């Protein structure tokens, strides 16, 4: 089972990493802003093609090697899991290495050809776009929070029937593989960690909802479609993932109180179903957002371009702009959001709940 899980995750990472150049904002190539007039440049197309082919071929080699290694001898679950995790990180490292190489090449190409020369930078706004925003309302996130608080109360009410050893970790098969002595704190430790995650998700949702909607001066309609799609589908994905995490961790918590609900294949099916739900949801999100701005507009003003914000992006990956009030902005490589690291509120939203979660986990 461990092999199936890690193989599916690795395959998913490989597919997403291979397709990324064709899913990002069309005027951003390997983290570099390219004026609309030059996005069909032959060299740019070549860079995208070479990146995708390189990542795809190496991914195939890695996946086949992993499969052969597992089937060649009987392997222990922990060996398969550890190797699978190493392979996932290796694949991400390889794709980032290729990305940084082509980021430098694209940046050099832009400078050598003086693409920004004789083009007037412009910024546009649409006062009506907020009314078209279809992000989920924040109060929906109160539902899983309330259910988790209720679960903690229920656990404490049934404290006497809890086992003397409380599970603290579950393996890929759904079996508990780490335990701690029963106390009032350890009994609700899992739910407390879940509550911190829920609060973090709520903070991320509110911050993204308040973040600015950036439109393109040269492709207004396409950029509007992408921004609205990004906001709508990211809010749905975030909420669906949160519901999945809540149901999964609540199931483990209830299984501690009522072990009979974990009998048979249920404890195996539920974690696997959560994995499939997240992967399918992420894939749908990437496709919906990634393809939302790919229809070329018929009229592009020849002498204008969008504001060039390359100086605020370190390596095209990390955004530092103290003049931008947005807490989250659209990624330049990948589909989704990234922090404005110059805005301390974003760090608070992420780091405070995460720190509390880690402290709870190690207590």
């Amino acid at each position: 089972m461990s092999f199936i899980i890690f193989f599916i995750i690795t395959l998913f990472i490989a597919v997403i990493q291979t397709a990324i150049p064709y899913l990002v904002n069309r005027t951003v190539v390997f983290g570099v802003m390219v004026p609309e007039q030059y996005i069909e440049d032959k060299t740019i197309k070549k860079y995208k093609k070479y990146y995708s082919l390189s990542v795809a071929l190496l991914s195939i080699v890695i996946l086949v090697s992993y499969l052969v290694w597992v089937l060649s001898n009987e392997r222990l679950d922990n060996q398969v899991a550890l190797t699978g995790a190493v392979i996932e990180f290796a694949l991400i490292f390889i794709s980032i290495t290729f990305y940084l190489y082509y980021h430098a090449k694209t940046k050099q190409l832009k400078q050598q050809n003086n693409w920004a020369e004789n083009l007037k930078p412009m910024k546009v706004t649409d006062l009506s776009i907020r009314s078209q925003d279809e992000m989920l309302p924040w109060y929906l996130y109160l539902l899983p929070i309330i259910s988790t608080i209720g679960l903690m109360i229920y656990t404490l009410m049934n404290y006497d029937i809890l086992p003397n050893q409380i599970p603290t970790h579950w393996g890929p098969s759904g079996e508990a593989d780490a335990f701690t002595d029963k106390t009032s704190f350890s009994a609700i430790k899992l739910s407390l960690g879940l509550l911190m995650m829920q609060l973090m998700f709520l903070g991320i949702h509110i911050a993204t909802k308040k973040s600015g909607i950036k439109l393109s001066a040269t492709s207004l309609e396409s950029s509007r479609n992408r921004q609205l799609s990004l906001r709508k589908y990211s809010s749905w994905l975030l909420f669906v993932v949160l519901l999945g995490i809540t149901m999964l961790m609540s199931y483990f918590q209830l299984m501690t109180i009522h072990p009979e609900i974990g009998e048979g294949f249920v404890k195996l099916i539920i974690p696997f179903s959560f994995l499939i739900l997240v992967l399918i949801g992420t894939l749908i999100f990437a496709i919906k957002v990634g393809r939302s701005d790919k229809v070329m507009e018929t009229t592009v003003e020849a002498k204008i371009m969008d504001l060039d914000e390359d100086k605020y992006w370190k390596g095209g990956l990390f955004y530092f702009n103290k003049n931008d009030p947005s807490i989250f902005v659209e990624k330049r490589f990948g589909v989704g959001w990234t922090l404005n690291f110059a805005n301390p509120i974003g760090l608070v939203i992420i780091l405070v709940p995460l720190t509390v979660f880690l402290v709870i986990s190690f207590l």
Side-chain angles (χ1 to χ4, degrees):
M1 188 62 187
S2 294
F3 168 71
I4 295 175
I5 290 175
F6 281 98
F7 188 86
I8 290 174
I9 295 174
T10 306
L11 177 62
F12 177 80
I13 293 173
V15 171
I16 291 294
Q17 292 298 326
T18 299
I20 276 181
Y22 303 98
L23 297 175
V24 297
N25 189 321
R26 72 184 190 188
T27 57
V28 175
V29 181
F30 295 109
V32 179
M33 195 284 285
V34 175
E36 185 87 19
Q37 294 85 345
Y38 301 102
I39 59 175
E40 294 298 315
D41 181 84
K42 291 182 179 180
T43 304
I44 284 180
K45 288 185 174 182
K46 183 177 69 175
Y47 289 168
K48 289 182 178 181
K49 179 182 177 180
Y50 287 173
Y51 168 90
S52 293
L53 284 175
S54 300
V55 173
L57 289 174
L58 281 172
S59 297
I60 291 172
V61 171
I62 290 172
L63 285 167
V64 171
S65 300
Y66 185 41
L67 177 62
V68 171
W69 177 78
V70 170
L71 297 179
S72 61
N73 280 298
E74 189 172 334
R75 309 289 181 180
L76 296 175
D77 263 5
N78 61 344
Q79 291 178 320
V80 173
L82 179 60
T83 304
V86 170
I87 287 174
E88 290 169 7
F89 282 107
L91 188 55
I92 293 172
F93 176 79
I94 289 170
S95 62
I96 290 177
T97 301
F98 278 117
Y99 160 78
L100 291 174
Y101 173 76
Y102 285 110
H103 169 77
K105 296 281 286 184
T106 305
K107 191 174 181 180
Q108 183 182 45
L109 181 68
K110 177 181 177 180
Q111 292 171 347
Q112 287 178 347
N113 289 279
N114 296 316
W115 282 342
E117 191 176 14
N118 300 322
L119 293 178
K120 181 181 179 181
M122 290 191 65
K123 182 178 182 180
V124 298
T125 57
D126 183 349
L127 299 179
S128 67
I129 196 169
R130 287 285 179 181
S131 63
Q132 303 170 44
D133 194 357
E134 297 182 277
M135 291 186 74
L136 295 174
W138 68 269
Y139 51 79
L140 283 181
Y141 286 77
L142 296 180
L143 297 177
I145 290 174
I146 292 171
S147 72
T148 299
I149 294 173
L151 182 58
M152 287 192 287
I153 295 172
Y154 180 75
T155 301
L156 293 175
M157 288 174 61
N158 289 275
Y159 181 79
D160 291 340
I161 66 172
L162 292 174
N164 292 326
Q165 291 292 304
I166 303 293
T168 58
H169 186 269
W170 291 260
S173 63
E175 292 283 355
D177 53 15
F179 301 85
T180 189
D181 293 334
K182 181 172 77 171
T183 64
S184 296
F185 174 75
S186 65
I188 61 171
K189 179 179 177 179
L190 181 66
S191 296
L192 281 173
L194 173 60
L195 183 60
M196 290 301 104
M197 292 180 65
Q198 292 168 336
L199 292 174
M200 183 176 70
F201 274 52
L202 173 59
I204 292 172
H205 174 78
I206 293 173
T208 51
K209 193 173 181 67
K210 291 185 176 181
S211 292
I213 302 177
K214 297 186 177 183
L215 301 176
S216 170
T218 56
S219 52
L220 183 60
E221 189 62 30
S222 296
S223 61
R224 182 190 290 114
N225 289 340
R226 185 177 183 92
Q227 286 291 297
L228 291 175
S229 295
L230 172 66
R231 298 169 70 84
K232 174 184 177 180
Y233 292 114
S234 65
S235 72
W236 273 101
L237 178 62
L238 193 70
F239 187 65
V240 168
V241 171
L242 178 59
L243 285 182
I245 292 174
T246 300
M247 289 188 287
L248 178 65
M249 296 181 71
S250 296
Y251 169 73
F252 286 140
Q253 182 73 25
L254 287 171
M255 193 165 57
T256 303
I257 306 171
H258 306 288
E260 63 275 10
I261 68 174
E263 296 177 353
F265 288 100
V266 177
K267 61 185 175 184
L268 185 63
I269 293 173
I270 289 182
F272 188 73
S273 299
F274 167 72
L275 171 65
I276 297 301
L277 173 69
V278 172
L279 294 183
I280 291 177
T282 303
L283 184 61
I284 293 173
F285 166 71
I287 294 173
K288 285 284 189 180
V289 177
R291 305 306 301 171
S292 62
D293 68 337
K294 295 305 182 280
V295 178
M296 291 290 291
E297 296 189 14
T298 56
T299 57
V300 178
E301 178 62 45
K303 296 299 182 181
I304 66 172
M305 61 177 283
D306 296 323
L307 287 178
D308 192 336
E309 296 187 331
D310 286 357
K311 63 181 179 180
Y312 300 121
W313 288 89
K314 310 306 178 186
L317 298 172
F318 304 102
Y319 184 66
F320 292 84
N321 186 357
K322 62 181 180 181
N323 298 317
D324 187 349
S326 296
I327 299 172
F328 289 91
V329 295
E330 184 179 3
K331 289 180 179 179
R332 281 201 164 189
F333 196 70
V335 183
W337 302 87
T338 187
L339 272 173
N340 177 4
F341 287 90
N343 191 327
I345 297 177
L347 296 176
V348 171
I349 291 173
I350 299 295
L351 292 181
V352 171
L354 190 59
T355 300
V356 175
F357 175 80
L358 292 174
V359 170
I360 291 172
S361 300
F362 286 103
L363 285 177

